[in-house]
Amino acid sequence: MRFTRQVLLLQIGVVALVVGLGVGLVSWLLRTTLGEQYGERALAIAKSVASDPVVIEGAAARQQDGPLQKRAQAVQMRTDALFVVITDDHGIRLAHPTPDAIGQPVSTPATEALAGNDVVSEYDDGTLGASVRSKTPIWQGNRVVGEVSVGYKIGELTGDFNRLLVLTLTFAGGALVLGVGASALLNRRLRRVTHGLEPHELTELLYEREAVLHGIGEGVLALDGQQRVSVRNDEAERLLGTELPVGAPMAELELSPRVHKAVAEGVPVDNLLAVAGNRVLVVNSRAVRRDDRPLGTVLTFRDRTDLDTLTRELDGIRSLSDGLRAQRHEFANRLHTLSGLLQLGHHAEAEEYLQTLTETTSGRPHALGDSVADPYLQALLVAKTEQAQEKGMELKLADDSWVPTAVTDPIAAGTVIGNLVDNALHAARMSPRRPASVEVALLADGTTLHVSVVDSGSGVAEELRATLFDEGVSSKIAPGHGLGLALARQAARARGGDVWLADPGGPSSGALFVAKLPELLVEAAE
């Protein structure tokens, strides 16, 4: 039997039991109350008869039949009583509805009444049948001279009780119908809320959900129809770098603007790149519907940080390799030229050629001397210089640059400096101003590295300045861009530093970006 049907039957049984107990209790109360009322009524009539002077004198004189019989019959007719009996002080009947019974002792004990007490009771063995009767003494002065007994037939009591019971049962039946109807509606509501699933099926779904949520390597975040967190796993909190309390509105979560936009638009999103802390995440979003009713949104997150880092390192190594290969060919050509001049005996021309080579290479980043001591920074600047030369641009190192020690985190340095230089080269190349150039300044301040990059481009457009560091914001036309500055800022902030736009530039000057990277350099020995 289905659980919902069990619940319905249980509810109907409970309602029926409650109604049955209620009817039984009301019946008992009605029966008791009616009996008391009839007893009180009979006692009042008996007292009235017992206070009649004619009855008092007749009982004292022990008159049988005669005036007492007439008085008793008159009272019986007026009150619709079953009987009105008058006895003397020995319990001998002086008046009775059955004349043949006059002069005989009463069939029920009269001791209490003759002792001066009022008695109300029910008897099933009276000569006139079952009745509710009341007995009261007849006083003459301080002496009891007899007693009056008045009774009502229990059949009359039962008739009144039955009428009240019918009304009670009618009300109980209506209550039972309402209870069953309410139970049926509740049962229907339960089926709709649970989508017709049984409790064991819900339990299995719960176990499966927990196993799936915490057994996969992806982060999962589910939102309900009101865009509030309904389900999330630990991996989602770890990747996003923030707590995701159940019930929290999506708008209050510190997530990437790209993620907020994807949820707000409600359209399927595949492989969307977003930045969370120092991580690059791949986000997928799906709206969930059932029977054309929106249930919410499910987002999944995959970590692409390691892959992206390896890709960038590979690109840096490839650029450095290309630069070194170009330098090797250039160096070989110059050695061949110098060797030819010496073999032909043109010593003066060879000396002039060497002097010219020295002058033309002294300002290039790969001839840094002592201004930049870290080999990784040297290699990065050499590679970027070769890239600039291949595109017809010039990359210069500022004269006041000074980095006497090595870096402690080459990855962070490469992420910040490499992205700033790449953006600057793109801005310089896209600008109509020529010659196109980029100048990089590196300055050590204890263990903090300060970086500034300025280009000869046309500056940052005003509409991009407020959102320049948001992922997806880029001046490049080709898709897949817009993560460089966001990654640079996140990498800097992860170390307690920052990256910002110091000067947006304009038509006559390029943009200036500045970065501060604390604890990036080895402390110089004194």
Side-chain angles (χ1 to χ4, degrees):
M1 185 181 296
R2 295 180 62 85
F3 177 74
T4 53
R5 184 168 299 176
Q6 295 179 22
V7 172
L8 177 61
L9 294 178
L10 178 61
Q11 290 172 336
I12 293 175
V14 170
V15 171
L17 178 61
V18 171
V19 171
L21 291 176
V23 170
L25 179 61
V26 170
S27 301
W28 178 78
L29 290 175
L30 285 175
R31 183 69 175 78
T32 303
T33 302
L34 285 174
E36 292 176 353
Q37 289 178 352
Y38 273 88
E40 293 296 329
R41 180 179 178 183
L43 182 61
I45 296 172
K47 285 181 176 293
S48 176
V49 173
S51 63
D52 189 345
V54 175
V55 174
I56 295 174
E57 293 179 0
R62 297 178 179 175
Q63 297 177 355
Q64 296 181 1
D65 205 357
L68 292 180
Q69 180 72 358
K70 294 180 180 180
R71 290 296 178 93
Q73 290 179 346
V75 171
Q76 180 181 350
M77 293 179 62
R78 288 197 307 267
T79 61
D80 293 328
L82 175 64
F83 61 84
V84 176
V85 177
I86 303 174
T87 71
D88 61 12
D89 56 351
H90 295 292
I92 302 301
R93 299 185 182 112
L94 302 178
H96 193 275
T98 304
D100 295 340
I102 296 175
Q104 298 178 4
V106 293
S107 59
T108 57
T111 306
E112 286 291 324
L114 294 177
N117 301 318
D118 296 330
V119 179
V120 177
S121 60
E122 291 187 14
Y123 286 95
D124 296 329
D125 55 352
T127 57
L128 297 179
S131 63
V132 177
R133 60 187 66 186
S134 297
K135 296 182 179 183
T136 188
I138 303 174
W139 293 88
Q140 187 180 43
N142 295 327
R143 185 171 65 92
V144 175
V145 296
E147 58 96 11
V148 177
S149 178
V150 178
Y152 280 91
K153 191 175 181 181
I154 289 182
E156 298 177 359
L157 174 64
T158 305
D160 293 338
F161 168 75
N162 290 338
R163 286 192 294 272
L164 293 175
L165 183 60
V166 169
L167 294 177
T168 303
L169 291 176
T170 301
F171 174 79
L176 181 61
V177 171
L178 289 177
V180 172
S183 299
L185 291 177
L186 181 61
N187 183 265
R188 183 178 179 182
R189 170 67 177 171
L190 181 62
R191 289 199 305 270
R192 184 166 62 251
V193 170
T194 60
H195 299 287
L197 297 177
E198 293 295 303
H200 69 276
E201 295 175 328
L202 294 176
T203 303
E204 292 176 359
L205 285 177
L206 176 61
Y207 291 157
E208 292 174 0
R209 191 197 73 170
E210 292 299 316
V212 171
L213 283 178
H214 301 287
I216 61 177
E218 295 184 354
V220 178
L221 173 62
L223 307 173
D224 60 16
Q226 287 72 42
Q227 303 300 319
R228 294 174 301 190
V229 177
S230 58
V231 177
R232 83 282 184 272
N233 61 359
D234 298 336
E235 185 67 10
E237 291 187 334
R238 186 185 72 84
L239 293 177
L240 294 173
T242 183
E243 293 185 356
L244 303 172
V246 175
M250 176 68 176
E252 297 180 2
L253 301 179
E254 297 181 1
L255 302 180
S256 165
R258 274 188 166 185
V259 177
H260 283 288
K261 183 179 180 181
V263 173
E265 291 178 351
V267 296
V269 175
D270 293 312
N271 301 326
L272 176 68
L273 296 181
V275 176
N278 59 349
R279 299 180 183 276
V280 178
L281 304 180
V282 180
V283 183
N284 290 276
S285 175
R286 289 292 185 274
V288 181
R289 305 181 67 88
R290 181 182 176 89
D291 299 332
D292 295 331
R293 183 166 63 93
L295 300 180
T297 306
V298 176
L299 299 98
T300 59
F301 307 91
R302 297 196 308 273
D303 191 359
R304 218 191 75 166
T305 305
D306 296 338
L307 178 61
D308 190 75
T309 300
L310 292 175
T311 302
R312 291 179 181 276
E313 290 182 358
L314 180 60
D315 290 341
I317 294 174
R318 185 182 292 111
S319 299
L320 179 60
S321 176
D322 293 341
L324 292 176
R325 187 181 300 107
Q327 289 182 17
R328 185 192 65 182
H329 287 293
E330 182 182 3
F331 185 69
N333 292 332
R334 291 173 179 176
L335 285 181
H336 289 311
T337 301
L338 182 60
S339 175
L341 289 174
L342 292 175
Q343 290 177 8
L344 295 175
H346 301 294
H347 299 285
E349 287 79 359
E351 182 178 354
E352 182 180 358
Y353 183 67
L354 285 174
Q355 185 176 0
T356 302
L357 291 177
T358 303
E359 292 176 354
T360 55
T361 59
S362 60
R364 295 180 58 175
H366 57 272
L368 300 175
D370 295 331
S371 60
V372 177
D374 182 74
Y376 184 85
L377 293 180
Q378 291 181 0
L380 178 63
L381 292 173
V382 168
K384 295 301 180 183
T385 299
E386 296 300 332
Q387 289 181 8
Q389 289 180 348
E390 290 176 0
K391 298 176 181 179
M393 296 181 290
E394 181 183 10
L395 176 64
K396 298 181 294 184
L397 183 67
D399 295 336
D400 56 353
S401 296
W402 177 248
V403 183
T405 59
V407 297
T408 59
D409 189 352
I411 300 300
T415 299
V416 175
I417 299 174
N419 281 297
L420 292 180
V421 171
D422 287 342
N423 282 341
L425 290 174
H426 174 77
R429 184 167 62 90
M430 299 302 295
S431 174
R433 190 180 302 128
R434 291 293 179 270
S437 63
V438 174
E439 184 179 70
V440 181
L442 305 176
L443 182 61
D445 181 12
T447 60
T448 301
L449 177 63
H450 296 274
V451 181
S452 65
V453 179
V454 61
D455 58 69
S456 62
S458 302
V460 179
E462 185 175 357
E463 62 271 12
L464 296 179
R465 296 173 186 175
T467 58
L468 188 61
F469 289 93
D470 294 343
E471 63 267 36
V473 177
S474 175
S475 60
K476 300 175 183 178
I477 300 176
H481 298 284
L483 292 177
L485 290 178
L487 285 172
R489 169 171 278 185
Q490 293 291 353
R493 288 182 173 178
R495 304 188 61 84
D498 203 355
V499 176
W500 64 94
L501 177 64
D503 184 1
S508 59
S509 62
L512 171 62
F513 287 86
V514 178
K516 179 182 178 181
L517 303 174
E519 305 297 331
L520 186 68
L521 300 176
V522 177
E523 189 171 358
E526 297 184 357

